[in-house]
């Protein structure tokens, strides 16, 4: 009887979800079409019209009728490879004033070989005798055809949305029905579920991101022209040829310049963008870890080199596994009585706020490969470090510290800025660990473990210095002063003028809001008060991610006497490392969201640690009511962060690679059911 009752409930849930999806799918009809059934007019049925930036308007007149919608079909004129976005605004003339137009609706529309019918609903509907479609921000000319006024409404259920609705409803049902089971679930199982879900989400999003380049591997042949390839392919090619410099001959005119790093002097001279140029040779100043951990294995398996989206997907996957696990283990390190489900929710929030998914969207992906690789190895280093304290067997501890050191060495060889911020925190944690071991009279074990970490880091550091010396005759010269980029970076200096702009740009700078899907975008600010030029591009600060709102609560941790001084010292080091790294970044680099990501990994781990420590204080001091408020507030923060993260994953502007337009249109239709 009980089993039949549960089956009946499940059937009711599925039927309810079908009804909800039916409402979503039919919403435009009831909101725009029902009661406004004006006459249908068809134009350009058997012909078409070319729209271009010189002639962006399409005007259609008709007998006076009530408007409810307009539809049209667009396709590129340049073939299958031609794709872009265009903003279309619908103007309608008044019935009484045919020459007077008012704005009725606007939206961004994708134009590619797969573009289908675009339907725009008009609100409010009133009588009109003419309509004007005006296209702006046109990347190229395109063809518009099959224009219809008040086209027939076609009910079209979104089955993916239906499946997700049913999955969400069933999840709620299972949680309520099997409360006891979930409450008794072990920490290990919750951690596995959390990491699996995060990894699954990463794989799905990577599949969407792959549409930006088709995930087509590079057909590599030794001796091929690599001048148009990214720096990782160029460096791979150099290694294959037994050399360190990129196998591209610089223009001889560069040698005649007084300062080839001044962009004004090298005007109209061909050069490799953002490579290091020294002594008449090009070098890549990007780290080599992605080459040895992804490019070479992929090449050995397939005989080809991976697409940039594939490389980013690999590192995003690593982050999506190790970062949630590191956060969850951190909760056990602080207090084993912290709810594993609370730790799970916090882990989801931390992953979203880490900016990993925004980095996957980066335009000119080789910049973002460096950041993602460093975050991946940094997250692994933090995980193995924390994991070492979660196990009791001494040999396993030593191995875990060694794996942490190896991961950190790869982090150094990916992006030094991120390695620097992580290194400060690990150094503080190592000192705290050693001091505690002295008091516990376990000096030998701690020394062995710290050495196990330091040995691979030391080897990695020695290799980095050798690599630098072989290229630039200085073991501490990474080649950044020789960049062929927007400015002479050798003139960049540390200046206190950058401190307050750094606080705003790296911490406070919010997303900009827009009325158009996906409602968030990144804005570029002009920074003119530093006394010199610095690179500026689209940016957000870490507090644009709601999960980071936990950071100011560090004040409560420092004031609470029951929190250990070791925990306070590591938290203090984390906050200091964020400030130091951000300050160095703005002075020696500039402003763009990939620079903000240099501090986001430490930021999310610190935020998670603060939430766990407050939870720990509530347990220790018996503050059940405060703990309940904390759980609810944290859930709201993490939920809000997931929404912000999803919106940031879909935005189009701000130095982000554009999706295939038809993919964007589908994602838009999936979210925006009301238009």
């Amino acid at each position: 009887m009980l089993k039949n009752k549960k089956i009946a409930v499940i059937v009711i849930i599925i039927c309810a979800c079908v009804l909800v999806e039916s409402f979503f799918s039919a919403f435009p009809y009831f909101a725009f079409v029902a009661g406004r059934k004006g006459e249908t007019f068809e134009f350009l049925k058997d012909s078409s019209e070319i729209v271009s930036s010189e002639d962006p308007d399409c005007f259609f007149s008709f007998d006076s009728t009530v408007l409810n919608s307009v539809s049209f079909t667009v396709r590129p004129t340049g073939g299958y490879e031609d794709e872009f976005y265009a903003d279309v605004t619908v103007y309608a003339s008044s019935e009484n004033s045919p020459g007077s137009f008012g704005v009725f609706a606007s939206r961004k529309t994708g134009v590619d070989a797969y573009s289908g019918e675009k339907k725009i609903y008009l609100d409010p509907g009133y009588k009109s005798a003419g309509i004007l479609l005006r296209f702006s921000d046109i990347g190229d000319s395109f063809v518009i055809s099959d224009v219809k006024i008040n086209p027939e409404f076609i009910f079209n259920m979104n089955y993916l949305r239906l499946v997700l609705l049913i999955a969400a409803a069933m999840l709620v049902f299972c949680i309520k029905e099997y409360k006891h089971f979930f409450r008794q679930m072990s920490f290990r199982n919750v951690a596995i579920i959390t990491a699996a879900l995060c990894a699954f989400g990463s794989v799905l999003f990577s599949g969407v991101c792959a549409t930006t380049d088709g995930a087509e591997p590079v057909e590599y042949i030794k001796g091929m022209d690599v001048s148009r390839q990214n720096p990782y392919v160029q460096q791979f090619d150099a290694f294959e040829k037994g050399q360190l410099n990129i196998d591209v001959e610089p223009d001889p005119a560069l040698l005649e310049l007084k300062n080839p790093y001044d962009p004004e002097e090298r005007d109209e001279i061909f050069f490799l963008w953002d490579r290091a140029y020294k002594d008449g040779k090009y070098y890549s100043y990007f780290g080599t870890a992605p080459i040895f951990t992804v490019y070479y294995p992929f090449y050995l398996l397939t005989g080809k080199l991976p697409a940039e989206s594939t490389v980013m997907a690999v590192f995003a996957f690593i982050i999506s596994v190790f970062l949630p696990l590191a956060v969850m283990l951190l909760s056990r390190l602080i207090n084993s009585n912290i709810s594993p489900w609370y730790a799970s929710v916090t882990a989801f929030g931390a992953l979203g706020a880490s900016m990993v998914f925004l980095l996957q969207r980066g335009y000119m992906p080789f910049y973002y490969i460096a950041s993602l690789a460093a975050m991946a190895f940094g997250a692994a280093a933090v995980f193995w470090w924390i994991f070492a304290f979660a196990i009791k067997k001494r040999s396993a501890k030593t191995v875990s510290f060694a794996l942490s050191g190896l991961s950190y060495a790869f982090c150094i060889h990916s992006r030094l800025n991120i390695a620097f911020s992580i290194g400060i925190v690990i150094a503080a944690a190592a000192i705290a660990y050693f001091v505690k071991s002295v008091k516990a009279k376990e000096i030998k074990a701690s020394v062995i473990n710290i050495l196990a970490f330091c040995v691979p880091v030391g080897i990695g550091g020695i290799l980095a210095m050798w690599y630098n010396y072989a290229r630039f005759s200085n073991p501490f010269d990474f080649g950044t002063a020789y960049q062929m980029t927007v400015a002479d970076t050798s003139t960049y200096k540390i200046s206190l003028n950058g401190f307050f702009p750094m606080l705003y740009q790296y911490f406070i700078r919010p997303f900009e809001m827009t009325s158009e899907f996906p409602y968030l975008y990144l804005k570029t600010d002009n920074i003119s008060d530093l006394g010199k030029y610095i690179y500026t591009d689209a940016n957000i600060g870490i507090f644009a991610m709601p999960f980071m709102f936990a950071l100011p609560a560090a004040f409560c941790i420092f004031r609470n006497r029951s929190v250990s001084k070791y925990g306070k010292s590591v938290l203090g080091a984390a906050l200091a490392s964020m400030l130091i790294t951000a300050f160095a970044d703005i002075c020696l680099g500039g402003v763009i969201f990939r620079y903000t990501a240099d501090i986001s990994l430490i930021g999310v781990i610190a935020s998670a640690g603060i939430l766990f420590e407050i939870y720990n204080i509530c347990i220790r001091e018996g503050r059940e009511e405060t703990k309940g408020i904390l759980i609810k507030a944290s859930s709201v923060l993490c939920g809000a962060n997931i929404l912000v993260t999803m919106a940031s994953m879909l935005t189009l502007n701000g130095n982000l690679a554009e999706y295939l337009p038809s993919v964007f249109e589908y994602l838009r239709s999936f979210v925006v059911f009301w238009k």
Side-chain angles (χ1 to χ4, degrees):
M1 183 69 180
L2 183 62
K3 184 178 179 180
N4 291 336
K5 186 177 179 180
K6 288 182 180 180
I7 293 174
V9 171
I10 292 173
V11 171
I12 292 172
I13 289 173
I14 294 174
C15 291
C17 289
V18 171
L19 288 175
V20 171
E21 174 53 36
S22 298
F23 168 76
F24 287 161
S25 300
F27 183 86
Y29 175 82
F30 296 107
F32 299 98
V33 178
R36 298 175 183 168
K37 292 186 178 180
E39 188 176 352
T40 298
F41 293 89
E42 296 186 9
F43 307 93
L44 301 179
K45 188 65 177 176
D46 300 317
S47 60
S48 59
E49 185 170 331
I50 295 180
V51 179
S52 66
S53 55
E54 289 77 21
D55 187 18
D57 296 345
C58 296
F59 175 72
F60 308 96
S61 60
F62 42 83
D63 295 336
S64 180
T65 190
V66 175
L67 297 179
N68 59 55
S69 56
V70 59
S71 69
F72 54 90
T73 299
V74 293
R75 59 181 175 82
T77 56
Y80 283 91
E81 295 183 358
D82 191 4
E83 55 191 48
F84 55 91
Y85 293 87
D87 292 324
V88 57
T89 304
V90 182
Y91 297 84
S93 65
S94 169
E95 180 184 24
N96 299 323
S97 304
S100 176
F101 289 89
V103 179
F104 267 67
S106 63
R107 61 173 282 190
K108 186 178 292 291
T109 184
V111 180
D112 62 17
Y114 309 99
S115 294
E117 183 184 66
K118 318 291 182 181
K119 187 175 291 185
I120 300 176
Y121 293 99
L122 308 176
D123 186 27
Y126 71 91
K127 284 190 175 182
S128 176
I131 199 165
L132 176 71
L133 304 181
R134 174 167 292 166
F135 295 88
S136 58
D137 293 333
I138 302 171
D140 199 351
S141 60
F142 61 92
V143 177
I144 179 173
S145 61
D146 296 335
V147 180
K148 297 179 183 178
I149 303 299
N150 299 339
E152 178 185 0
F153 177 83
I154 299 175
F155 179 82
N156 186 18
M157 184 175 287
N158 190 309
Y159 291 101
L160 177 59
R161 189 164 57 198
L162 174 61
V163 169
L164 291 180
L165 280 173
I166 293 174
M170 290 302 300
L171 178 62
V172 173
F173 168 74
C174 290
I175 291 174
K176 286 185 173 293
E177 186 67 26
Y178 302 101
K179 283 183 184 178
H180 181 74
F181 172 77
F182 285 105
R183 285 176 179 172
Q184 297 300 316
M185 187 174 287
S186 68
F187 175 86
R188 179 181 178 181
N189 289 339
V190 174
I192 292 172
I193 291 172
T194 303
L197 289 175
C198 290
F200 178 70
S202 175
V203 171
L204 286 181
F205 183 62
S206 294
V208 175
C209 290
T211 64
T212 60
D213 66 4
E216 290 292 332
V218 178
E219 295 279 356
Y220 175 74
I221 302 173
K222 190 179 292 187
M224 65 181 281
D225 180 15
V226 295
S227 61
R228 301 293 179 182
Q229 298 294 335
N230 72 46
Y232 293 107
V233 173
Q234 292 171 339
Q235 191 62 62
F236 175 92
D237 175 69
F239 288 154
E240 284 293 289
K241 294 173 180 175
Q243 62 191 53
L244 299 180
N245 62 290
I246 296 172
D247 192 23
V248 175
E249 193 68 28
D251 191 320
L254 289 173
L255 287 171
E256 300 175 6
L257 299 179
K258 182 178 180 181
N259 182 10
Y261 310 110
D262 184 345
E264 293 185 3
E265 284 197 38
R266 63 172 185 264
D267 188 34
E268 298 185 2
I269 298 177
F270 174 78
F271 63 95
L272 292 186
W273 175 258
D274 220 351
R275 307 299 190 269
Y277 173 74
K278 189 173 188 295
D279 298 332
K281 294 180 180 180
Y282 286 123
Y283 298 91
S284 169
Y285 68 87
F286 291 85
T288 57
I291 298 174
F292 292 111
T293 58
V294 177
Y295 279 86
Y296 264 110
F298 192 94
Y299 179 69
L300 293 174
L301 289 172
T302 67
K304 301 177 182 179
L305 297 181
E308 290 171 312
S309 63
T310 302
V311 181
M312 290 196 290
V314 170
F315 290 124
F317 180 85
I318 294 172
I319 298 168
S320 298
V321 172
F322 280 104
L323 178 55
L325 289 177
V327 169
M328 294 203 67
L329 280 178
L330 181 61
S331 72
R332 303 293 282 182
L333 192 62
I334 292 174
N335 191 324
S336 60
N337 291 321
I338 292 176
S339 166
W341 290 109
Y342 179 74
S344 175
V345 171
T346 305
F348 280 112
L351 179 62
S354 69
M355 297 175 60
V356 55
F357 302 114
L358 189 60
L359 291 175
Q360 275 191 273
R361 297 283 320 286
Y363 176 69
M364 298 184 75
F366 60 84
Y367 289 115
Y368 303 88
I369 288 174
S371 296
L372 286 168
M375 289 179 68
F377 294 122
V382 173
F383 166 79
W384 288 116
W385 182 275
I386 298 174
F387 184 72
F389 293 96
I391 51 181
K392 296 181 179 180
K393 193 174 180 181
R394 289 194 174 186
S395 59
K397 278 182 181 290
T398 303
V399 170
S400 187
F401 275 110
L403 289 173
S404 178
L406 180 63
S407 300
Y408 185 68
F410 279 122
C411 181
I412 293 173
H413 284 267
S414 297
R415 180 166 171 80
L416 192 62
N417 308 50
I418 293 178
F420 176 75
S421 65
I422 296 172
I424 293 175
V425 181
I426 290 181
I431 293 171
Y433 172 48
F434 180 75
V435 172
K436 285 182 71 175
S437 69
V438 169
K439 292 184 177 181
K441 297 182 179 180
E442 296 179 350
I443 299 176
K444 182 179 178 181
S446 67
V447 169
I448 291 174
N449 290 333
I450 292 173
L451 283 176
F453 173 85
C454 290
V455 167
V457 173
I459 293 173
I462 291 171
L463 289 174
M465 288 188 287
W466 173 84
Y467 187 52
N468 290 338
Y469 184 81
R471 296 181 301 163
F472 307 121
S473 303
N474 186 333
F476 302 104
D477 190 342
F478 287 84
T480 55
Y482 310 120
Q483 293 179 62
M484 305 289 279
T485 183
V486 294
D488 184 353
T489 56
S490 66
T491 64
Y492 285 10
K493 306 295 181 185
I494 296 293
S495 170
L496 290 177
N497 291 336
F499 185 76
F500 290 107
M502 173 272 293
L503 290 180
Y504 177 73
Q505 292 293 338
Y506 279 76
F507 290 87
I508 302 172
R509 183 74 178 86
F511 281 105
E512 297 294 319
M513 301 292 293
T514 176
S515 59
E516 181 65 28
F517 176 81
Y519 313 113
L520 297 180
Y521 70 96
L522 289 78
K523 186 179 178 182
T524 301
D525 287 333
N526 292 320
I527 305 174
S528 57
D529 57 349
L530 295 186
K532 62 180 179 64
Y533 170 84
I534 64 166
Y535 177 71
T536 56
D537 210 315
N539 187 50
I540 55 167
I542 60 172
F543 286 120
M545 296 294 182
F547 183 75
M548 297 292 196
F549 291 171
L551 283 175
F555 179 73
C556 301
I557 304 299
F558 291 129
R559 287 194 61 187
N560 193 288
R561 295 181 179 179
S562 63
V563 179
S564 73
K565 59 183 178 181
Y566 305 110
K568 290 179 180 179
S569 64
V570 175
L571 177 58
L575 299 179
S577 75
M578 293 167 67
L579 286 170
I580 295 170
T581 304
F583 181 59
D585 272 1
I586 197 171
C587 292
L588 303 179
V591 172
I592 188 173
F593 67 91
R594 71 171 184 268
Y595 295 167
T596 301
D598 289 345
I599 62 174
S600 63
L601 181 63
I602 290 299
V604 296
I605 294 173
S607 295
I610 289 168
L611 292 175
F612 294 148
E613 194 58 70
I614 294 175
Y615 193 109
N616 182 33
I617 292 170
C618 292
I619 293 175
R620 189 165 50 243
E621 299 180 2
R623 299 184 181 183
E624 289 299 320
E625 185 176 346
T626 305
K627 187 175 77 172
I629 295 172
L630 173 67
I631 292 173
K632 291 176 182 177
S634 301
S635 299
V636 169
L637 274 183
C638 295
N641 202 100
I642 290 172
L643 293 177
V644 171
T645 300
M646 291 176 65
S648 70
M649 290 158 69
L650 298 173
T651 192
L652 290 174
N653 79 312
N655 223 321
L656 301 175
E658 294 184 340
Y659 294 115
L660 189 69
S662 54
V663 172
F664 175 78
E665 292 278 5
Y666 182 79
L667 294 172
R668 182 186 184 279
S669 66
F670 177 82
V671 176
V672 183
F673 65 87
W674 55 91
K675 284 187 180 181

